[in-house]
Amino acid sequence: MSSDESAKGERRRRSPFFHAALGALTLALFSGFVALGVWQVERRAWKLDLIARVEARIHAAPVAAPGPDRWAELSASDEYRRVRLVGRFDHARETFTQATTAYGAGYWTLTPLRTHEGFDVLVNRGFVTSERRDPASRGAAAPEGETEVVGLMRLSEPHGGFLRANDPAADLWRSRDVAAIAAARGLTRPAPYFVDAEAGPDRAGWPKAGLTVVAFRNDHLVYALTWFGLAAMTLAGAAIVILRGRSGARDA
């Protein structure tokens, strides 16, 4: 028997094992890709529901900001809830946290507001550029006396920004870490959240309020189609290998 005939005979003897292994591998890959695609479809449904719920919150009538009796219950479902506060600002304890907006690089202006109930809420009164950090340069007097604030409730942003920690000792803040800022400013009863103040017709000059960006990435459909496409390619690839094998066997 020639070497070519021997090799062909060996390929035929291995064919059942080869096809079984190919089938098992194809099934595993196909099942995995389909499972990932289904997971992305479910994630997309969850994300769309989240966006709808957040949109409903930010356009709802404002409710009273939660007091100490509700602080332990706060969760991500309270983020972007529209709330109302009444109290007095303590401008002497103003804090600046780094920010980038449509106005360029600068700072959020966080000012404690002491409510009638006796607790403090950090209010993000808006954005200022580096040149506007001095209150005298802002072109509008800071609100004094009893003040009403309507805005979006936000959860604390601990640990600083991406790869950049806050530095309380240097009064350098990269994120709105409520607990750390409250400790640095000596607030005795701080709420565990802050409020992004809304812009209003009476809010001329600086800080520029109402710049909260509410956006959620929703690439799940693209990912789902990618995984389903890989599943289809797996089936197609296995079919091509099997068909070529059968064609070779007939030629032999």
Side-chain angles (χ1 to χ4, degrees):
M1 179 184 292
S2 68
S3 60
D4 289 343
E5 291 174 342
S6 176
K8 289 178 181 179
E10 180 66 22
R11 283 197 296 270
R12 285 196 292 271
R13 285 193 294 272
R14 291 185 305 181
S15 181
F17 171 78
F18 173 77
H19 287 152
L22 178 62
L25 178 61
T26 300
L27 179 61
L29 290 175
F30 177 79
S31 300
F33 291 145
V34 169
L36 288 169
V38 170
W39 177 63
Q40 287 296 334
V41 170
E42 293 172 347
R43 289 282 296 173
R44 180 175 182 270
W46 170 83
K47 183 64 68 67
L48 292 175
D49 179 64
L50 172 64
I51 293 171
R53 285 187 280 114
V54 170
E55 285 290 324
R57 285 180 220 154
I58 65 178
H59 294 109
V63 299
D69 59 327
R70 292 188 51 210
W71 290 350
E73 305 169 2
L74 296 180
S75 67
S77 63
D78 295 294
E79 186 96 38
Y80 301 109
R81 191 175 301 284
R82 199 159 172 247
V83 297
R84 176 186 287 108
L85 291 162
V86 178
R88 294 175 178 269
F89 280 115
D90 185 352
H91 297 287
R93 304 190 193 192
E94 194 170 71
T95 300
F96 297 98
T97 64
Q98 293 181 355
T100 301
T101 72
Y103 292 94
Y107 302 89
W108 296 124
T109 308
L110 270 65
T111 309
L113 182 138
R114 172 59 61 92
T115 66
H116 291 171
E117 293 81 5
F119 62 90
D120 298 298
V121 177
L122 288 177
V123 175
N124 176 13
R125 295 179 51 233
F127 175 82
V128 294
T129 60
S130 299
E131 298 78 15
R132 303 285 184 176
R133 287 182 55 152
D134 184 350
S137 68
R138 297 176 188 169
E144 299 289 348
E146 184 174 283
T147 304
E148 180 181 86
V149 175
V150 174
L152 299 179
M153 188 169 73
R154 305 290 308 280
L155 301 183
S156 181
E157 301 169 344
H159 311 308
F162 180 66
L163 299 179
R164 300 183 307 164
N166 291 321
D167 187 353
D171 201 26
L172 182 60
W173 303 95
R174 274 109 179 192
S175 73
R176 291 163 289 190
D177 186 334
V178 171
I181 292 173
R185 293 296 181 261
L187 303 180
T188 57
R189 204 181 183 194
Y193 56 85
F194 64 95
V195 173
D196 281 346
E198 292 182 355
D202 57 337
R203 295 177 184 267
W206 301 79
K208 299 293 184 183
L211 299 180
T212 305
V213 176
V214 182
F216 299 91
R217 289 188 61 183
N218 188 11
D219 299 327
H220 300 294
L221 180 59
V222 174
Y223 296 147
L225 293 175
T226 299
W227 291 122
F228 288 139
L230 288 172
M233 290 172 62
T234 299
L235 289 181
I240 290 172
V241 171
I242 291 172
L243 291 175
R244 285 182 176 176
R246 290 178 176 176
S247 176
R250 287 195 300 268
D251 293 342

